[in-house]
Amino acid sequence: MTHSAVTTITPTPAIWKRFFFVTAGAVLMAVNLRTFVYTAALFPGGFSGLSLLIQRSLKGFFNISLPYSALYLAFNAFPVYISFKFIGRKFTIFSLLMIILSSVLSDFIPAYKVTDDVLLCAVFGGMFNGVSIVLCLWGDATSGGTDFIAIYFATRKGKDMWNYIFIGNCAVLTIAGILFGWDKALYSIIFQFTSTQILNMLYHRYQKATMLIVTEKPDDLYNVIKSETNHDASKFSVVGCYRNAEKTMLYTVVSGDQVKRLAGDLRKADPAAFINVLQTKEILGKFFTRPND
């Protein structure tokens, strides 16, 4: 007799925390769509923008009304499968919660006009869109679509794909510009750019940072790095020119969201340590990434 593996989620404080962030992100995204996005006829990035493009095209050219949720769920079917197989089951389940809740709410929440200014809608809509995605990421989930792709490449390939996805979205907006006017497409680029910058500013897990640490206590500081991040470090013998003193430099690469806490703990272990943090665009080789589940 064989037994199939079943993923169960036992309610714990951590699970409730994830549920709260994902639900808050879904509600904010749906409200944002029904206010700023619909008011200015903007096209968000990823599958959300593609769903709206098809929905508006069918309505405008063929007088066919199709729910946003039907399109958005269909586009996310294959990325959900990829996520379930390669990223994590619990991660995928919470992401599904986000996808289903945000898309269904987008069909039922009444549309509300906050302002008639398209530029304000693009800027503030992009800000709220970015915050909604960050809330999902804080809950170890994603809003779906291209976010699955970005996280897959970040975890499997060690590459930050957010800006590349922004470039890809511009190609989709070209079609929107041809069909509905270039003003809407150009304002949508502002929307997507704002959203991307909010994302890069508030969420750093999939970014990488190089830390160069000059210290007289290399073993103590290496133990801090290893225990907190599960990352290794390289050791170099250096000489301080000012006092001609022999010291050691530790070289390590960690996730962007680990830098602040790690630097503080390193300074506690060696108050005299000199720490230089550099932004890392890409790494080649083995790099430990904390599992999403």
Side-chain angles (χ1 to χ4, degrees):
M1 180 180 295
T2 59
H3 298 275
S4 59
V6 178
T7 300
T8 60
I9 300 179
T10 303
T12 63
I15 293 297
W16 284 115
K17 180 181 178 181
R18 294 180 70 174
F19 179 80
F20 170 78
F21 279 126
V22 170
T23 303
V27 173
L28 180 59
M29 180 168 289
V31 171
N32 188 45
L33 283 174
R34 298 298 290 174
T35 52
F36 294 110
V37 174
Y38 274 78
T39 296
L42 300 172
F43 296 93
F47 289 161
S48 178
L50 184 59
S51 299
L52 287 175
L53 176 61
I54 294 176
Q55 184 188 44
R56 292 171 185 171
S57 298
L58 290 175
K59 181 64 177 178
F61 297 106
F62 302 101
N63 198 29
I64 299 175
S65 297
L66 196 63
Y68 168 83
S69 57
L71 292 166
Y72 193 63
L73 292 173
F75 285 131
N76 276 283
F78 184 69
V80 165
Y81 166 77
I82 295 297
S83 175
F84 190 82
K85 186 174 182 179
F86 294 106
I87 300 178
R89 295 185 177 185
K90 291 181 182 178
F91 173 84
T92 306
I93 291 173
F94 277 103
S95 298
L96 265 176
L97 171 64
M98 166 65 185
I99 293 168
I100 294 173
L101 185 59
S102 63
S103 59
V104 171
L105 287 177
S106 297
D107 284 331
F108 289 98
I109 293 178
Y112 180 76
K113 182 180 292 188
V114 178
T115 176
D116 290 319
D117 192 308
V118 181
L119 180 59
L120 288 177
C121 288
V123 173
F124 284 94
M127 290 174 60
F128 286 121
N129 186 70
V131 171
S132 66
I133 295 175
V134 169
L135 287 172
C136 293
L137 293 171
W138 283 348
D140 287 330
T142 177
S143 58
T146 52
D147 291 347
F148 281 128
I149 299 172
I151 293 173
Y152 170 78
F153 275 95
T155 55
R156 292 280 171 166
K157 307 296 182 180
K159 295 183 179 180
D160 186 344
M161 297 295 293
W162 299 116
N163 287 327
Y164 293 101
I165 288 175
F166 171 73
I167 295 173
N169 289 333
C170 293
V172 176
L173 289 177
T174 302
I175 301 175
I178 295 173
L179 296 178
F180 298 100
W182 292 107
D183 57 337
K184 297 295 187 293
L186 294 175
Y187 278 120
S188 295
I189 292 177
I190 296 176
F191 175 98
Q192 294 183 19
F193 178 80
T194 304
S195 179
T196 302
Q197 297 311 305
I198 292 294
L199 183 60
N200 287 330
M201 181 175 64
L202 296 181
Y203 193 76
H204 307 290
R205 177 181 174 185
Y206 297 107
Q207 298 175 5
K208 306 294 185 293
T210 296
M211 300 185 73
L212 303 175
I213 309 151
V214 179
T215 178
E216 294 179 349
K217 301 178 180 180
D219 293 335
D220 293 342
L221 297 197
Y222 172 71
N223 289 332
V224 173
I225 295 171
K226 186 65 175 178
S227 62
E228 287 197 12
T229 69
N230 201 34
H231 291 298
D232 202 359
S234 298
K235 185 189 299 184
F236 302 88
S237 297
V238 297
V239 177
C241 294
Y242 182 70
R243 296 183 179 178
N244 199 32
E246 293 186 358
K247 296 187 178 183
T248 300
M249 183 177 71
L250 295 177
Y251 164 86
T252 187
V253 180
V254 299
S255 298
D257 63 343
Q258 297 173 325
V259 171
K260 185 175 181 180
R261 179 178 177 181
L262 179 59
D265 290 340
L266 291 173
R267 292 284 294 173
K268 289 179 182 178
D270 181 10
F274 181 84
I275 303 172
N276 186 16
V277 181
L278 307 174
Q279 184 179 8
T280 301
K281 289 293 185 181
E282 182 178 349
I283 58 173
L284 301 174
K286 294 182 178 180
F287 181 83
F288 173 79
T289 301
R290 177 173 59 86
N292 290 287
D293 286 348

